[in-house]
Amino acid sequence: MKTPTRIALRGDLLDFTADPGLSQPHDDAARAAVRWRPDHWLLVENGRIVDAQPVSSLQPGEDWKRIEHPGRWILPGFIDTHVHSAQVDVIGSWGSELLDWLSTHTYPAEQRMADPVLALQNSQLFVHALLSHGTTTACVFPTVHAASCEALYETAKAKGMRMIAGKVLMDRHAPEALLDDNPQKTAQICVDLVERWHGQGRVAVAITPRFAATSSPQQLQQAAELMRLAPDLYLQTHVAENRAEIDWVAQLYPEARSYLDVYDRHGLLGPRSILAHGIWLDDADRAALHKAGAQIAFCPSSNLFLGSGLFDWAQARDAGVAVTLASDVGGGTHLSMRRTMLAAYQVQAMRGGRVSAWALLHAATRGAAQALHLSDEIGTLQPGCLADITIWDSAVHPLSQRRQSVARDLHEQLFAWVTSGDESDLVETWVAGVRQFVRLD
Ligand SMILES: [Zn+2]
């Protein structure tokens, strides 16, 4: 029998055992949900977390490889629930709202991914960038090209990463080179990708109609049929991001009660559906999302950057809708989940609300894992989970160090960390017990 790989990681462990609520950092529910274990050993065997013990009470034996980061934070890796890998080329593009931005910047960049060599280079750059931002799981839109999916799956599998992604479906209102021109061919490509990749390593396939405007009713119908290929496929798309987009979808689908209803009518709302944005929803939409168990991937930096609108997190939460956090790139301006958390706080502040650091961190870890039905595998430091973890300094720059040193409690420390620091604090990123990113000091 192969000798198990045993690793003991020393640091201050922070994760959640329950939902800390949205806006009350010091109430009983929040206190009960936060699990703070300073100076502990996190024990990892064959890539999986098996235990955590105080350093004062346990010295791991000779057969444990010790990796010591005293005084540093060990967190579960971040989960980015909506991001476009091919859009790294258009991050920070000037001057347009969603529909213009798609045609001016995004579609030309996506067309390049027909080339398998470029697609592989893009995937490698993208996956490395995720890891160097502390993101260990992502729900990704590559492009319409099978090559771009293959490249992303290959790259994720080589890293042992949990990756949810699928071929983007579009059959109208986009450049010819990006359109599915033959439904049989589209079905064949998707079936082939599901058969060869779904469940390979930690890859999961998501059926991915881009949005209602670029899929005909027939293609949305086809997406629903493709969902039946396996019981645990995901569905990802966009909804109600921008006013002009909503008007356009209303013209294209006059029979639908709302934008979200287009998807509901086609049977695309379910517990594994991830809908990006959802800024302009009404009560009936939120009730439908709650009933289906679908989640909203809130993309605050993108929403601010493109001027799309201010998503109301509290309203969604009150309606029982799961809300996760996402970078969206290049609608957003970075792959940083920390800056995404900051933007989420700012958007709620503009709406007159306040979100706790606990809520932000929870949404990017345990909350997302639960919404994706993956809480047995990711999102916490619970025994049984794979060791997808990040190790952070609380501060490296003098100003941040000063701010941390005067913080009166952990919430204040963490909130200042989320809102005023950056990824220079990231020391290491681990995926399934293997170190995949190390900061060069
Ligand atoms: Zn998007």
Side-chain angles (χ1 to χ4, degrees):
M1 216 172 96
K2 198 172 159 244
T3 317
T5 310
R6 289 185 168 142
I7 296 161
L9 277 157
R10 180 183 178 182
D12 299 341
L13 312 184
L14 177 61
D15 67 344
F16 297 91
T17 56
D19 183 338
L22 192 63
S23 56
Q24 300 294 329
H26 303 298
D27 71 6
D28 290 345
R31 278 177 210 281
V34 179
R35 180 162 56 177
W36 169 242
R37 293 175 289 179
D39 208 15
H40 271 58
W41 290 111
L42 184 71
L43 302 178
V44 176
E45 196 168 311
N46 293 334
R48 218 168 267 283
I49 295 165
V50 292
D51 200 1
Q53 292 290 336
V55 170
S56 58
S57 69
L58 175 88
Q59 283 305 313
E62 292 283 297
D63 52 343
W64 290 86
K65 182 179 179 189
R66 296 183 192 196
I67 295 178
E68 306 218 20
H69 292 284
R72 286 176 166 155
W73 295 344
I74 299 183
L75 309 182
F78 294 143
I79 301 165
D80 185 339
T81 55
H82 178 81
V83 55
H84 299 255
S85 52
Q87 291 181 10
V88 293
D89 286 4
V90 298
I91 289 176
S93 293
W94 182 82
S96 45
E97 285 200 8
L98 174 69
L99 300 177
D100 178 43
W101 172 84
L102 281 171
S103 50
T104 307
H105 303 293
T106 303
Y107 290 150
E110 293 193 6
Q111 285 180 47
R112 294 201 281 276
M113 295 304 127
D115 179 342
V117 175
L118 287 181
L120 187 60
Q121 286 170 357
N122 166 264
S123 295
Q124 289 168 344
L125 174 74
F126 172 75
V127 164
H128 180 265
L130 289 178
L131 295 168
S132 66
H133 286 81
T135 299
T136 50
T137 289
C139 306
V140 186
F141 284 52
T143 62
V144 296
H145 312 98
S148 76
C149 298
E150 301 264 358
L152 188 64
Y153 295 150
E154 288 280 2
T155 310
K157 192 180 171 198
K159 297 277 183 197
M161 257 176 108
R162 167 55 74 174
M163 184 71 75
I164 297 166
K167 176 192 143 39
V168 175
L169 301 173
M170 291 200 278
D171 67 353
R172 61 178 181 176
H173 302 310
E176 190 92 20
L178 290 177
L179 293 182
D180 297 305
D181 54 0
N182 176 326
Q184 280 74 36
K185 201 169 105 193
T186 304
Q188 207 170 16
I189 293 168
C190 292
V191 168
D192 180 55
L193 288 172
V194 169
E195 284 178 353
R196 289 193 304 112
W197 283 103
H198 187 57
Q200 280 299 311
R202 300 173 70 192
V203 169
V205 172
I207 304 301
T208 308
R210 184 182 210 113
F211 70 129
T214 48
S215 284
S216 65
Q218 294 74 22
Q219 190 170 55
L220 292 184
Q221 179 67 35
Q222 182 177 42
E225 285 158 18
L226 291 169
M227 283 296 288
R228 292 184 206 116
L229 288 172
D232 54 351
L233 292 175
Y234 291 90
L235 182 290
Q236 54 181 357
T237 189
H238 298 84
V239 72
E241 176 177 359
N242 168 291
R243 298 270 203 189
E245 171 211 19
I246 291 169
D247 292 344
W248 189 24
V249 170
Q251 287 167 23
L252 293 168
Y253 289 91
E255 71 288 359
R257 193 198 66 78
S258 67
Y259 188 163
L260 185 86
D261 187 48
V262 173
Y263 299 132
D264 205 0
R265 283 165 172 262
H266 286 88
L268 296 175
L269 295 188
R272 305 177 81 83
S273 301
I274 308 156
L275 294 115
H277 307 296
I279 298 166
W280 306 100
L281 299 176
D282 62 17
D283 287 344
D285 292 330
R286 281 183 284 272
L289 287 170
H290 169 65
K291 187 168 165 233
Q295 66 176 290
I296 291 289
F298 171 27
C299 307
S301 51
S302 164
N303 300 159
L304 293 170
F305 187 67
L306 294 179
S308 302
L310 305 174
F311 173 74
D312 192 331
W313 190 346
Q315 202 174 34
R317 187 184 164 87
D318 289 348
V321 179
V323 176
T324 55
L325 294 177
S327 66
D328 196 19
V329 148
T333 50
H334 51 75
L335 284 165
S336 166
M337 291 305 285
R338 283 178 63 180
R339 289 173 68 188
T340 298
M341 288 184 233
L342 165 62
Y345 179 84
Q346 290 168 326
V347 166
Q348 299 318 297
M350 288 299 293
R351 301 199 64 100
R354 292 293 183 272
V355 180
S356 73
W358 309 136
L360 296 166
L361 190 61
H362 181 263
T365 56
R366 180 180 177 273
Q370 288 205 312
L372 294 169
H373 306 278
L374 292 171
S375 51
D376 290 344
E377 177 190 317
I378 55 173
T380 67
L381 306 177
Q382 191 67 24
C385 280
L386 286 170
D388 285 3
I389 55 173
T390 49
I391 302 168
W392 299 85
D393 281 314
S394 62
V396 289
H397 300 305
L399 274 181
S400 306
Q401 285 172 340
R402 170 66 188 167
R403 180 66 187 93
Q404 289 291 318
S405 73
V406 297
R408 290 159 298 182
D409 60 32
L410 183 63
H411 184 268
E412 187 175 330
Q413 247 193 306
L414 191 72
F415 186 71
W417 181 80
V418 164
T419 54
S420 62
D422 60 38
E423 282 73 22
S424 53
D425 297 334
L426 181 61
V427 183
E428 293 178 1
T429 302
W430 290 64
V431 175
V434 178
R435 196 164 18 197
Q436 294 286 3
F437 169 79
V438 183
R439 184 177 69 198
L440 299 173
D441 282 318

